[in-house]
Amino acid sequence: VAVARADESFNLPAAKTSGLQKRSVRLSEYSIVLAKPGAQVPLLDPEDRPLGIMLSHDDFCAASLQGTVQVMGVRYMVAGKGPSNLADCSDDCPSCEAFALGESRFIRADHPSAVPSRTYGLVAYRTVAVRDGALPAGTVLFIPAARGLRMPNGRKHDGYFFVADTGALNSNQLDLYTGSRRLNWWIIGSGRAGKTLPAYIVKDGAIIARLKAEHVAATRSFAADSGG
């Protein structure tokens, strides 16, 4: 997972929504799980080989749900499912049973296959993940309800989001990447029960180009950032 830190670039003008395709979405959030080594569940790669680290049951289930975990400065990302269940995560996420979180397999984020296949990295508070096939990578969305909401650095969000990731999500769910700091926005709920919000697919070429450039830069900055 290539990650860029949030900066002062959330200053785009409000989109003119007239004539834009509108969708009803539910906004949730995901982040990097910060964990200490545990003694309950091993991290295995897609070939079921040990990655040399174990997590607590709760941290393993959280990492499987969020997609990325950082342990002692090293990041591991979910890379698929294995043939066996390593943990029962039903208590941690009763609604996630269909996602088979306990079968998750990981790779180190600096693994050769983790980055080159990604056109876009992740930018905190800008990147959203969608269900595979719901929206093409590179799609820019404008959510009026998000405009003006404050981020942890005190600055206000401009309401634009960029599709650069996929996950085990519901069809109308947008999962906002928040780095390691969660947001306290009234518009964020869960993929099933969160508030329905209007989102508009942006067609402004200049705005699309700017957000694409930010996410391409995030991929290039991976080597510097992945050290924690």
Side-chain angles (χ1 to χ4, degrees):
V1 177
V3 181
R5 296 175 178 86
D7 57 21
E8 298 85 16
S9 63
F10 292 80
N11 56 6
L12 294 169
K16 296 179 179 179
T17 58
S18 177
L20 296 182
Q21 183 181 344
K22 179 181 177 182
R23 294 199 174 199
S24 293
V25 301
R26 298 183 189 274
L27 190 66
S28 56
E29 62 182 324
Y30 71 108
S31 60
I32 295 173
V33 175
L34 302 178
K36 295 180 179 179
Q40 294 177 289
V41 187
L43 289 190
L44 305 180
D45 75 5
E47 304 299 323
D48 264 12
R49 296 171 298 204
L51 291 172
I53 196 76
M54 296 184 71
L55 298 179
S56 70
H57 171 274
D58 289 349
D59 282 341
F60 177 87
C61 292
S64 297
L65 178 62
Q66 300 295 332
T68 306
V69 61
Q70 180 169 306
V71 188
M72 299 177 65
V74 180
R75 288 183 187 158
Y76 303 85
M77 59 183 289
V78 173
K81 303 293 183 184
S84 60
N85 191 59
L86 302 176
D88 180 2
C89 298
S90 58
D91 289 341
D92 299 74
C93 183
S95 64
C96 298
E97 184 176 356
F99 300 150
L101 298 180
E103 299 174 7
S104 295
R105 299 301 189 263
F106 292 76
I107 57 175
R108 282 179 57 129
D110 58 359
H111 187 280
S113 68
V115 176
S117 62
R118 297 185 68 99
T119 302
Y120 305 118
L122 307 181
V123 178
Y125 319 122
R126 182 72 88 189
T127 302
V128 290
V130 299
R131 184 173 182 170
D132 191 26
L135 286 168
T139 299
V140 174
L141 297 165
F142 179 69
I143 300 179
R147 187 169 178 83
L149 296 181
R150 291 196 179 275
M151 298 178 288
N153 61 10
R155 293 185 173 87
K156 294 181 179 180
H157 203 283
D158 55 16
Y160 290 90
F161 300 90
F162 187 86
V163 177
D165 203 4
T166 58
L169 307 171
N170 294 302
S171 58
N172 69 338
Q173 183 179 354
L174 299 180
D175 210 16
L176 174 61
Y177 173 71
T178 60
S180 58
R181 301 184 66 181
R182 307 297 291 269
L183 292 171
N184 188 30
W185 288 356
W186 67 270
I187 61 174
I188 291 178
S190 71
R192 294 178 184 271
K195 301 172 179 64
T196 300
L197 305 167
Y200 298 87
I201 297 178
V202 174
K203 298 299 183 183
D204 187 314
I207 290 177
I208 294 171
R210 175 167 162 176
L211 268 60
K212 281 186 176 181
E214 289 178 358
H215 284 74
V216 170
T219 300
R220 293 170 182 163
S221 69
F222 166 76
D225 187 80
S226 62

